[in-house]
Amino acid sequence: MPVQPETSRAPTADDFVIDQGWAGYGAEDHAIWRRLFERQSKLLPGRACRDYLDGFAKLGVAADGIPDFERLSDVLDRATGWRIVAVPGLVPDAVFFQHLAQRRFPATNWIRRPEQMDYLQEPDVFHDVMGHVPVLMHPVFADYMQAYGRGGLKALRLGALTKLARLYWYTVEFGLIRTAEGLRIYGSGIVSSHKETTYCLESPRPKRIAFDLLRVMRTDYRIDDLQDVYFVIDDFDQLFEATGPDFTSYYDALRHLSDIAPGELVANDRVIEI
Ligand code: PHE
Ligand code: FE
């Protein structure tokens, strides 16, 4: 449970950090992790991007069972200065952003049940760790996530959170990347999902559109099913550079632009064929 602040000051990131309770996981919990880990290990080569796979390979501590966040953080910290902290499920937006701005990724500690192997609407520890941590091993992506945290605090002040949350959704969670070998995945919501890992690359149903910052921030998303649209970047540098400018004027412009439904195409979309 979150620790209640003693005074009426605004909550800070530290208030929500809990102990992971690693010793409390049972054999069944670790077995579920291993099933998920082995299943995705077979599927991701050739589908996830090189940077994800490199990060994944360096996280050997995650192969045996649910990793201890402290040990995992030591590996991650040496690579990019990020650490994983345990939080009780979803935390207030400001708290989430404060963590990212301090290069701490808030991860939940619960693991799905055997009957939830295929789809979850709320992140569990497998999604949070195997989805997010491998890319945080990459220096540019690591900096992007920190910048996102700072940007989140600003978006809260400017009343622009809905727009900025879409950027997170369509990059960090469901991003695709174009490489010389073809389309690849870097989004955490995809790499932690057995079904979506093949669907996003192979199904004729979803749209795949070249990344465009304002277009992304206008696009609604669905949390209840496989995505109807994916946005495709060329590399992490493109993402970092496109999001570098001050968003204040973008948010002003967005107030006059209509939202776009997930599967809808609009003028100037660069559709990427598979
Ligand atoms: N540049 C953005 C701003 O001024 C912050 C940001 C950086 C947002 C990276 C998202 C990703 O608000
Ligand atoms: Fe996530």
Side-chain angles (χ1 to χ4, degrees):
M1 290 303 288
V3 178
Q4 289 302 318
E6 282 158 22
T7 63
S8 58
R9 66 185 166 74
T12 70
D14 290 337
D15 296 326
F16 287 85
V17 173
I18 57 171
D19 189 90
Q20 183 193 359
W22 189 81
Y25 293 120
E28 197 198 349
D29 300 321
H30 289 297
I32 292 171
W33 174 280
R34 279 194 303 273
R35 268 171 66 196
L36 291 163
F37 188 92
E38 279 157 24
R39 190 166 77 159
Q40 287 310 89
S41 302
K42 286 188 202 125
L43 209 55
L44 291 174
R47 294 192 175 88
C49 69
R50 177 58 34 215
D51 290 329
Y52 176 91
L53 293 170
D54 286 348
F56 188 84
K58 287 182 198 140
L59 296 173
V61 289
D64 305 334
I66 303 170
D68 180 335
F69 289 175
E70 281 300 306
R71 284 185 57 206
L72 186 70
S73 295
D74 289 341
V75 179
L76 181 59
D77 202 345
R78 276 196 296 276
T80 57
W82 274 77
R83 298 195 70 83
I84 310 303
V85 294
V87 294
L90 296 178
V91 297
D93 296 320
V95 168
F96 179 70
F97 296 137
Q98 282 168 35
H99 278 302
L100 298 186
Q102 296 169 71
R103 293 175 96 85
R104 290 197 303 223
F105 190 79
T108 181
N109 58 355
W110 72 283
I111 185 130
R112 69 194 73 187
R113 296 294 93 209
E115 62 278 9
Q116 297 172 299
M117 290 295 282
D118 289 326
Y119 199 83
L120 289 178
Q121 280 192 27
E122 254 191 65
D124 73 342
V125 62
F126 184 75
H127 165 77
D128 278 344
V129 171
M130 288 328 300
H132 290 280
V133 178
V135 274
L136 283 173
M137 298 283 284
H138 187 278
V140 176
F141 196 85
D143 286 350
Y144 172 67
M145 285 287 272
Q146 178 177 30
Y148 186 91
R150 293 190 182 129
L153 294 168
K154 184 158 106 193
L156 274 176
R157 288 195 300 274
L158 297 174
L161 193 58
T162 308
K163 313 290 179 203
L164 192 71
R166 291 170 176 163
L167 177 63
Y168 190 89
W169 188 265
Y170 284 117
T171 61
V172 177
E173 294 288 345
F174 291 97
L176 295 182
I177 191 161
R178 199 146 47 153
T179 75
E181 295 84 45
L183 276 188
R184 294 288 185 272
I185 306 161
Y186 71 94
S188 58
I190 307 176
V191 293
S192 64
S193 159
H194 191 64
K195 255 198 240 165
E196 198 140 6
T197 294
T198 48
Y199 169 87
C200 74
L201 298 175
E202 292 155 31
S203 169
R205 201 173 74 86
K207 311 272 191 307
R208 299 164 186 86
I209 304 173
F211 178 83
D212 175 287
L213 180 63
L214 288 186
R215 164 59 158 107
V216 169
M217 291 204 282
R218 290 175 63 193
T219 311
D220 259 324
Y221 58 83
R222 57 189 306 168
I223 64 163
D224 60 329
D225 204 350
L226 301 167
Q227 299 301 300
D228 295 317
V229 60
Y230 299 95
F231 290 93
V232 183
I233 60 170
D234 294 321
D235 51 38
F236 293 152
D237 292 311
Q238 178 200 9
L239 191 56
F240 190 74
E241 280 156 28
T243 55
D246 182 349
F247 279 14
T248 309
S249 64
Y250 298 170
Y251 295 144
D252 290 339
L254 285 164
R255 275 182 247 285
H256 307 287
L257 295 168
S258 56
D259 287 347
I260 302 169
E264 193 183 334
L265 287 179
V266 297
N268 301 325
D269 279 346
R270 277 201 293 133
V271 175
I272 291 161
E273 304 296 341
I274 50 167

